[in-house]
Amino acid sequence: MLRAELASADRLHRVLGPIALTSLGIGAIIGAGIFVMTGLAARDFAGPSLMLSFVIAGTGCALAALCYAEFAAMIPVAGSAYTYAYATLGELMAWIIGWDLVLEYAIASCAVAHGWSHYLQAFLALFDVHLPPSLAIDPLSASPAAIAGAWHLGSVPIVFDLPAVVIVLLLTMVLVVGIQESASLNAAIVALKLGVVLFVIAAGFGHIDPANWHPFFHHEKGVSGTFQGAAYVFFAYIGFDSISTHAEEARNPERDVPIAILVSLGLCTVLYIAVAGVLTGMVPYTAIDIDAPIAHAFASLGLPVATFIIAFGAVAGITSVLLVMMLSQARILLAMARDGLLPPSFFAAIHPRFRTPYRSTILVGLIVAVVAALLPLQVLAELVNIGTLFAFVVVCAAVLIMRYTRPDVRRPFRTPWVPVVPIL
C-alpha cells in the first residue's frame, strides 16, 4: 500500500540529494544541545566525563539510527516513525505514535524558539541593545517589574516573548515557499554553524588546562553522574530522525537517506565530544555558566572577538534547528492525513505551485509561535525526550516485527546484527 502511494501524482518534490539530507540532519542536531545543554550537564552531573556522556548517548542513538535507516530505505514516504508503525503495528499504534511525534517536534520547536530568543537577546546585549522586559520573556517567568512596566489591555498586562514569535513566523513563510528553498537556507546556516563549532574547538584548544579535567568524574556523583549526563544530553541528539521524514523528497531515498542519517549522527557525535573536552578544559566544571556556557568560557578568558563569533553562531545554529523541526512536523501531519487519521482536505493539502503541505505548515507555525511566546523553556524542554524515546522504541520493535512477518520485502539497507541491534 505504501509503495502504491509513491505512484500518486499528489506527491512532494524529489529535490534532496545526500548532501542536502545530511545538512538537514546536522541542522537539526547541532543547536541548543551543544550551545546550552553542555553547561548544565557538566556542572551538575558529569564534570569532565561529559565527553563519555556524549559517547554513551551517541551510541544509543546510533543503534536506533540503524533501525531508522532500514525503514527509510524500505518505505521512502513522508511520516518517519508514524509511517513505520502504520506498516507494521497497525492503525491504533500508528495513531498513538503520530501524536507522540507531534509532541516531539512541536514541543521541541517551541523550546528551541524560546532558546533562540534568549541567545538573540544575549547577542544584542553585546551592542547594548535591549528589548522592553515585557516583550522579551514569557508571562510565567516575567518579574513583577516587567509586568508592571508592560502595556495593558484593560487590566491585562501584555507580556510575551516577541523574538520567539518573529522567528517562528519568518521560518513558516520560508517553509511554505518550498522545500528546496528551505534546504538551501538550512545548508547556508549549517555551513556557518559548523565553522563556529570548529572555531570553538580550534581556538579553545590552546586555552585548555589539563588540571581542569581532574577529577575526571563529578566530585559528588562519580561514575553515575556520567550516565545521568548522558540521559540529559540525549536532547542534543534529537533531530537525526527528522531526516527520515523527508524520504519522500529525496532523489534516491534508498541510498541517500541511510547515508545522511548515519553520517550526520556520527559527525555531530565527534563534534560534541570535542566541544565537551574544550569546555571542561578551559573552565573548571564547577564554574561553568549554564545559560551560555561556551560564550561565557571565552569571555572569562578575555576573548571578546571569540565571544562575538560564538554568540552569533549560536543564534544561526538554533535557527536551523527550528527550521528542520517545523519542517518535519508538517510532514508527520501530512502522513496521518493521507491515512485518514486527520482531515485530509486540510492536512494533506499540497500547494499547487510550491508543492508543500502549506496549510499544516501554517497551522504548525501559528501554534508554535503562540506556545513559545507564552510558556517557559523549562516546561517545554521537560516534555521533548518523552516523544523521542517512545518513537525510538517503536521503530526498533517494528524492525524486529517486519523481519519475521515480511522477510520477503526488499530492503536496500539492512540493519546489521538483528535482533541484537534493535533490542539494544
Side-chain angles (χ1 to χ4, degrees):
M1 180 187 68
L2 290 169
R3 289 281 181 181
E5 281 188 17
L6 293 175
S8 169
D10 196 28
R11 311 307 300 175
L12 303 177
H13 279 172
R14 290 200 178 277
V15 296
L16 301 179
I19 296 176
L21 288 166
T22 302
S23 179
L24 285 171
I26 295 172
I29 298 170
I30 294 182
I34 199 167
F35 291 114
V36 180
M37 301 297 181
T38 49
L40 191 146
R43 195 190 70 176
D44 293 354
F45 297 117
S49 71
L50 180 64
M51 291 178 276
L52 290 181
S53 298
F54 277 116
V55 174
I56 295 167
T59 301
C61 290
L63 296 171
L66 291 169
C67 296
Y68 268 92
E70 176 169 319
F71 270 114
M74 186 171 60
I75 311 174
V77 297
S80 186
Y82 160 77
T83 301
Y84 312 151
Y86 193 94
T88 58
L89 304 177
E91 192 171 86
L92 176 60
M93 183 57 72
W95 167 260
I96 295 172
I97 196 65
W99 286 109
D100 177 74
L101 289 172
V102 170
L103 172 68
E104 175 187 349
Y105 286 120
I107 301 302
S109 296
C110 297
V112 171
H114 214 308
W116 184 93
S117 172
H118 285 293
Y119 262 98
L120 176 68
Q121 293 175 53
F123 179 72
L124 293 176
L126 296 174
F127 304 95
D128 201 28
V129 176
H130 303 277
L131 295 175
S134 59
L135 300 180
I137 197 169
D138 63 274
L140 297 181
S141 303
S143 65
I147 295 175
W151 295 315
H152 283 68
L153 183 62
S155 60
V156 179
I158 307 300
V159 179
F160 68 100
D161 194 334
L162 177 61
V165 173
V166 171
I167 188 60
V168 169
L169 295 182
L170 286 175
L171 291 181
T172 298
M173 289 190 289
V174 172
L175 293 172
V176 168
V177 169
I179 177 64
Q180 189 158 20
E181 289 76 10
S182 304
S184 299
L185 173 63
N186 178 73
I189 295 174
V190 167
L192 171 63
K193 180 164 53 176
L194 284 177
V196 171
V197 172
L198 293 174
F199 171 79
V200 168
I201 296 169
F205 185 80
H207 296 278
I208 291 176
D209 180 359
N212 291 328
W213 288 335
H214 300 284
F216 186 68
F217 297 99
H218 194 280
H219 69 285
E220 292 182 353
K221 298 184 180 295
V223 176
S224 65
T226 305
F227 288 91
Q228 288 179 291
Y232 184 79
V233 298
F234 171 75
F235 180 90
Y237 285 98
I238 293 174
F240 78 83
D241 55 320
S242 67
I243 297 172
S244 63
T245 68
H246 307 302
E248 188 176 316
E249 293 153 291
R251 288 196 296 265
N252 186 359
E254 296 180 350
R255 182 200 67 184
D256 295 347
V257 173
I259 290 174
I261 289 175
L262 297 173
V263 169
S264 61
L265 181 63
L267 177 61
C268 291
T269 299
V270 171
L271 293 176
Y272 279 171
I273 294 169
V275 170
V278 168
L279 176 64
T280 55
M282 290 177 65
V283 182
Y285 73 87
T286 52
I288 291 176
D289 178 75
I290 62 172
D291 293 322
I294 299 173
H296 185 270
F298 280 85
S300 67
L301 296 176
L303 303 170
V305 175
T307 304
F308 170 84
I309 293 173
I310 294 165
F312 180 76
V315 172
I318 296 174
T319 301
S320 67
V321 174
L322 182 57
L323 177 79
V324 177
M325 290 294 178
M326 292 176 62
L327 186 70
S328 304
Q329 174 66 92
R331 272 99 186 128
I332 299 296
L333 296 174
L334 170 65
M336 295 177 70
R338 284 174 173 168
D339 294 328
L341 301 184
L342 287 173
S345 60
F346 184 91
F347 291 98
I350 303 298
H351 195 283
R353 176 185 173 190
F354 301 129
R355 309 304 299 168
T356 58
Y358 68 108
R359 290 178 180 172
S360 54
T361 298
I362 293 171
L363 178 63
V364 167
L366 293 175
I367 293 174
V368 170
V370 171
V371 175
L374 300 179
L375 291 182
L377 179 62
Q378 292 82 356
V379 172
L380 298 170
E382 290 172 357
L383 298 173
V384 176
N385 283 4
I386 301 170
T388 307
L389 287 169
F390 187 51
F392 284 7
V393 170
V394 168
V395 171
C396 293
V399 166
L400 287 174
I401 293 170
M402 282 289 285
R403 286 292 184 94
Y404 290 101
T405 60
R406 293 297 304 275
D408 56 310
V409 174
R410 178 173 172 268
R411 293 171 169 82
F413 177 89
R414 296 176 66 88
T415 303
W417 306 307
V418 173
V420 176
V421 167
I423 291 172
L424 287 176

